[in-house]
Amino acid sequence: MNEHISTRVDSPHAPVHAGSGDLYVTMGAQLQDPDRPTFRRLADDHLGWLRKVLVAPAGMGAARHMLTDTGTVILDGPPGSGRTSVSRVLLREYDQGTGVFHELLPDEQDELSLSNPALVGTGDQLLLDLSAATAVQWAAARADLSALRKAVHEQHAHLVVVMPYGHPLDPDLQHYRINIDPPDGLEVFRRHLRFHGVAYEPDPTVTAFLAESRPMREIADFADLVRRAREAAADEGFAQWCTTARKARDDRRAETARLVAELREGPQRALLITVAMLHGAHADVIHRAAQLLLHTLKFLPDEQSVLEGKDLAERLAEIPAGTGPDGHVRFTELDYDAAVRAHFWDHMPDLRQPMGTWVVHTVESDDPNVTRALRNSLVARLAEQYLRTGRGERLASLAEDWSTTTTTRTTSQARLEAAVHALTCGLNDPAHGRNFRHWIYLWCAQRQLRGEFAQVLVQVCADVIAASHPDQALFRLYHLARREQGTTRALQALCDLVATSSRLRRRLLDRLARSPFSAAELRIFLSACDPVPLTAPHDNGSTLIEENGARESLTIGWRAVLNDLSHAEWHPYAERWLHSAAELGHRGDPLLDLLVAAADRCGGHRGTAFAELYASARAAERSAPHSAARATATTDLLLQKISTAQDLGPSAAPLSTASPGGTAP
């Protein structure tokens, strides 16, 4: 029920280039993980969770009917009413597998204007969240909404607009406006408790908390605090859990400052920081991580026998924390760890740089108690401090540094996963997400990438950005794919993304057609022009290859392929087109027409291109997966089309790749 909803990844697996020419980067193999979640599953999982915890506010039913009847709804309502959550749940209900979820950001890099029909694909679910827009931004969006609604209607898509509260709406748009009123706070609280498996009981602490008008996100956070209080003290009962949760909301800055002032010894403070950063970890992890922190800070403790020093239980009692029956360490006060983290970050700035070093060394631990979930929570807690204090750029640089191999260290899988998670935290932060998307664009498109950072960017683009901003992911992966060398990971991620949407494939083909084709871009083109999705009918019965714009992009691309690559390089892709044409029968004619049209534009290479196409058709007959007769008929039809293009009669002799001068005999 959060007004700021973002995709969460729980288990994810620089100098500026100022010269000319392409930059090539080599990516390692450490991040290969068949179990890591895909961007589509991440988005589905998050929206599924949101649907379970959402209490339908007044107006949601009317919004659902409006979206069904017109394909568009404009949500209005006060901040904290759950408007954004409602918008995402509504769009999930119209996900029929024919389009993608797309959060529109018209003023960001590589985002089309709202009036551009290419913004909308068949069956897409579009969210335009302008709840925090300025008057100028809202006025600009209103001017384009009519064109956007027209494209949505034509593509059988669905659009939800969240308008800024209290701003005007044009008369012709008033019909689509639905007011969202906050749902009952107690029902929201109970729904979240039920999701956490906590039974609700009437309690004065809850009554007092809900007596004030609260945003939905605060109620959800309070329910989560109650859940955590139960986990810390299951035997205390609901009333005490609520009291503990309410106390955890208090400002603890003064209390934390007093404790730190009392703990004057380095090992004491190191243990305090360690428990705060690894809260809930096993005692063995806490002990070793505290020692590692002292080593990172170059602190030299007095030599003392193991038997003479304080044991861990005594040291934990000083901070105050303790080890539970499960062997895991926690503070005795709920959410005390957050207050400790904030205190040291704010009041000991010299700790910030070594903390990054300590975190990445900790995630590389081979201790079996250092699980992936623990590594992710440690990175997230560090990222929280950078983002809370407005130092997002330093967090981004830290992720890059973690991905870089030096003469004294290699880049482990744990380091790369930590870098992915750090960038994910930045991308999902409402205040910093835009900056992180911009920095990632600069890395992908312009900067020389060091070490294994390119593969980190591939995963972040494919599994995080693509979940809600597929166009931005598309072009970032495109830049990575055209620059990669020695691997095809970015290219594969790019192909996986365009496979989810004809609109994205259309945008990629258009981008390629407007670029001077390098060898890398020709490889991207050949991978992106798979004949199966190009000839798959949309809901209206048309196909992508029959669209004028896509057809022109494909013709330009194939012309560059026939002109610039050897026959051996492009033959496997042409063979796939010829096999598809044979399988489709007369519906495969557009594939043959396009190949012939591309060869016809090859200028002085025209005759050779025709001859090589004919040779590919003959070779395709021998490898045809279906009827040999169909393959032969396809070759004959191709020859007829070539003859027509050359103004030759139907009885023209077969073409030969050995024809002198590169012309047909």
Side-chain angles (χ1 to χ4, degrees):
M1 302 271 298
N2 195 326
E3 279 289 292
H4 301 288
I5 300 298
S6 59
T7 302
R8 182 181 64 199
V9 180
D10 286 330
S11 301
H13 305 261
V16 176
H17 174 49
S20 60
D22 291 336
L23 272 172
Y24 295 97
V25 295
T26 302
M27 303 196 320
Q30 287 95 326
L31 268 180
Q32 291 281 29
D33 184 351
D35 296 325
R36 69 179 173 84
T38 64
F39 63 86
R40 180 175 287 276
R41 200 182 88 209
L42 285 168
D44 289 347
D45 288 350
H46 180 73
L47 289 172
W49 168 83
L50 191 59
R51 193 174 185 180
K52 290 177 181 177
V53 300
L54 178 71
V55 174
M60 185 170 180
R64 182 180 288 112
H65 289 305
M66 179 64 69
L67 194 59
T68 300
D69 294 342
T70 68
T72 298
V73 65
I74 300 174
L75 302 182
D76 194 8
S81 60
R83 297 166 298 168
T84 302
S85 296
V86 168
S87 69
R88 292 172 183 269
V89 170
L90 288 174
L91 288 172
R92 176 182 171 82
E93 294 174 354
Y94 290 93
D95 180 3
Q96 300 175 347
T98 57
V100 297
F101 173 76
H102 185 187
E103 184 173 354
L104 306 178
L105 300 169
D107 58 344
E108 288 198 19
Q109 183 79 38
D110 281 323
E111 289 280 348
L112 297 171
S113 71
L114 296 179
S115 61
N116 193 324
L119 189 68
V120 186
T122 303
D124 281 356
Q125 306 97 51
L126 306 174
L127 171 61
L128 180 59
D129 184 1
L130 296 172
S131 56
T134 64
V136 173
Q137 291 170 327
W138 175 232
R142 295 201 321 267
D144 291 335
L145 277 182
S146 293
L148 177 59
R149 287 192 299 107
K150 180 175 183 293
V152 166
H153 176 74
E154 291 174 348
Q155 295 294 336
H156 305 287
H158 293 87
L159 167 68
V160 177
V161 180
V162 183
M163 65 176 288
Y165 184 61
H167 285 243
L169 188 63
D170 301 341
D172 62 318
L173 297 173
Q174 287 289 348
H175 171 69
Y176 303 95
R177 177 181 171 274
I178 300 293
N179 193 68
I180 298 297
D181 294 320
D184 178 68
L186 179 58
E187 181 57 30
V188 173
F189 182 69
R190 294 178 65 174
R191 177 72 62 86
H192 278 269
L193 286 182
R194 187 160 57 247
F195 179 80
H196 295 314
V198 180
Y200 170 76
E201 300 173 14
D203 182 82
T205 300
V206 176
T207 302
F209 174 77
L210 295 176
E212 301 178 32
S213 178
R214 304 270 184 187
M216 296 300 101
R217 61 181 173 273
E218 286 191 20
I219 299 175
D221 289 344
F222 187 61
D224 188 62
L225 281 172
V226 173
R227 185 265 305 174
R228 289 160 54 197
R230 181 195 63 170
E231 291 179 354
D235 58 340
E236 289 185 342
F238 186 78
Q240 184 58 48
W241 300 336
C242 293
T243 300
T244 301
R246 188 62 190 263
K247 183 179 179 181
R249 291 174 50 85
D250 296 341
D251 187 346
R252 284 181 156 152
R253 285 179 294 182
E255 179 185 352
T256 307
R258 285 194 298 271
L259 174 64
V260 174
E262 293 170 2
L263 301 175
R264 307 305 302 179
E265 298 178 8
Q268 290 177 311
R269 292 182 172 183
L271 185 62
L272 182 62
I273 294 170
T274 300
V275 173
M277 293 294 291
L278 288 164
H279 197 248
H282 193 275
D284 289 351
V285 176
I286 296 294
H287 172 71
R288 291 169 184 163
Q291 295 300 111
L292 177 61
L293 180 57
L294 290 170
H295 175 76
T296 303
L297 296 171
K298 297 181 172 55
F299 181 86
L300 300 176
D302 296 335
E303 290 294 335
Q304 193 174 33
S305 169
V306 173
L307 295 176
E308 293 176 337
K310 299 175 182 178
D311 66 14
L312 184 60
E314 186 178 357
R315 295 171 59 212
L316 288 172
E318 295 174 345
I319 53 178
T323 305
D326 59 357
H328 292 249
V329 177
R330 296 175 180 87
F331 285 112
T332 55
E333 295 287 337
L334 184 64
D335 250 19
Y336 200 76
D337 55 311
V340 171
R341 291 193 297 268
H343 175 87
F344 278 104
W345 190 267
D346 293 344
H347 299 289
M348 292 189 179
D350 289 343
L351 277 176
R352 294 170 187 167
Q353 189 278 331
M355 284 286 285
T357 302
W358 172 74
V359 164
V360 77
H361 286 159
T362 301
V363 302
E364 288 185 302
S365 169
D366 59 1
D367 189 324
N369 291 305
V370 180
T371 63
R372 175 175 287 189
L374 182 62
R375 293 197 301 267
N376 286 346
S377 67
L378 176 58
V379 172
R381 286 163 179 166
L382 179 67
E384 175 190 26
Q385 301 310 312
Y386 278 107
L387 298 171
R388 179 182 64 83
T389 54
R391 292 175 172 84
E393 192 166 10
R394 289 294 308 132
L395 177 62
S397 297
L398 189 64
E400 182 182 19
D401 181 63
W402 287 349
S403 310
T404 303
T405 302
T406 68
T407 56
T408 59
R409 72 166 191 240
T410 58
T411 307
S412 65
Q413 180 175 348
R415 275 180 174 267
L416 298 182
E417 290 179 351
V420 168
H421 202 62
L423 293 177
T424 298
C425 292
L427 287 166
N428 288 341
D429 186 88
H432 296 274
R434 176 172 180 159
N435 287 336
F436 272 80
R437 290 192 294 272
H438 175 66
W439 295 327
I440 289 172
Y441 176 84
L442 294 179
W443 273 318
C444 293
Q446 299 177 14
R447 296 183 180 174
Q448 185 169 1
L449 304 180
R450 302 176 294 154
E452 310 298 336
F453 193 45
Q455 66 168 308
V456 168
L457 295 176
V458 168
Q459 185 168 342
V460 167
C461 291
D463 289 348
V464 184
I465 297 178
S468 54
H469 307 99
D471 292 57
Q472 294 200 7
L474 175 80
F475 291 110
R476 284 154 180 76
L477 288 171
Y478 158 75
H479 287 300
L480 288 171
R482 71 180 180 82
R483 301 168 68 194
E484 71 181 339
Q485 188 176 24
T487 179
T488 59
R489 197 164 300 127
L491 177 59
Q492 184 59 54
L494 179 62
C495 292
D496 290 345
L497 178 57
V498 299
T500 66
S501 166
S502 293
R503 183 185 68 82
L504 295 176
R505 192 180 300 274
R506 185 187 301 115
R507 287 209 70 186
L508 176 59
L509 291 172
D510 176 70
R511 177 61 170 263
L512 288 164
R514 291 186 290 105
S515 306
F517 281 96
S518 65
E521 285 163 325
L522 289 175
R523 288 192 291 272
I524 295 172
F525 171 79
L526 288 171
S527 298
C529 67
D530 187 331
V532 174
L534 293 176
T535 55
H538 303 317
D539 290 344
N540 59 9
S542 66
T543 62
L544 191 59
I545 200 172
E546 293 172 328
E547 297 177 7
N548 290 336
R551 186 176 180 83
E552 179 63 15
S553 297
L554 287 164
T555 303
I556 292 172
W558 267 110
R559 174 190 172 277
V561 166
L562 297 173
N563 260 336
D564 300 338
L565 297 181
S566 68
H567 182 214
E569 290 178 285
W570 59 256
H571 166 71
Y573 300 92
E575 185 177 58
R576 180 161 170 77
W577 275 52
L578 294 161
H579 286 163
S580 293
E583 182 181 357
L584 292 168
H586 71 278
R587 292 187 295 114
D589 278 12
L591 293 171
L592 302 181
D593 290 337
L594 195 144
L595 290 175
V596 172
D600 198 33
R601 295 190 188 182
C602 284
H605 190 66
R606 176 171 175 263
T608 300
F610 282 137
E612 290 176 341
L613 278 179
Y614 180 73
S616 284
R618 282 298 185 203
E621 292 179 24
R622 297 189 292 272
S623 59
H626 304 290
S627 167
R630 282 190 184 182
T632 301
T634 299
T635 300
D636 293 341
L637 182 58
L638 178 69
L639 179 58
Q640 291 177 21
K641 294 178 182 294
I642 290 174
S643 298
T644 300
Q646 292 185 306
D647 294 326
L648 299 176
S651 60
L655 296 171
S656 168
T657 56
S659 300
T663 59

